[in-house]
Amino acid sequence: MRTLCSSTLIGEALLAMFAGLVAMRLSDVPTATVWTVTGIAMVLCVALCGMIDRPGAVPIGWALQIGLIASGFVLPTMFGLGVVFAGLWWCSVHYGRKVDAFKAARAAATEAAAARV
């Protein structure tokens, strides 16, 4: 799960940076505000990569996805991109948990087989 979620978050950090560049040119929001919000989003994405295994990381990730979608009010393209990354986040969490459960079951079966021998 850590690898999938981290990949999604790094992609999201890059997207936030590029969206900040576009928002600077296309919106009436002051440059300082754009870079403050973009910087916070990027730092949250990168910091969350290191916290994936800790309790509460997944809900924080969902809050980040909602924030990305809400940034569509400043730059309308972000509505669509936010939905795409929210979908990627869901896939990362869902399939990451399945893979982790499979690996744990496989390790337990291997350990049980080794104990019998």
Side-chain angles (χ1 to χ4, degrees), residues 11-21 35 37-38 41-42 45 68 78:
E12 202 164 347
L14 291 171
L15 172 81
M17 180 186 67
F18 291 129
L21 292 171
W35 284 116
V37 171
T38 301
M42 290 174 66
C45 287
L68 185 65
M78 291 304 291

Side-chain angles (χ1 to χ4, degrees), residues 32-116:
T33 303
V34 169
W35 284 116
T36 300
V37 171
T38 301
I40 289 170
M42 290 174 66
V43 167
L44 283 174
C45 287
V46 173
L48 195 55
C49 285
M51 297 175 25
I52 292 297
D53 294 334
R54 296 183 185 209
V58 173
I60 293 170
W62 279 114
L64 188 62
Q65 304 312 315
I66 292 169
L68 185 65
I69 293 169
S71 69
F73 289 110
V74 175
L75 187 63
T77 309
M78 291 304 291
F79 280 123
L81 292 172
V83 170
V84 168
F85 272 97
L88 286 171
W89 180 252
W90 177 84
C91 287
S92 298
V93 170
H94 179 73
Y95 292 114
R97 285 181 176 162
K98 281 189 171 193
V99 168
D100 287 350
F102 175 77
K103 284 183 177 180
R106 186 174 175 186
T110 303
E111 194 173 298
R116 281 184 260 167

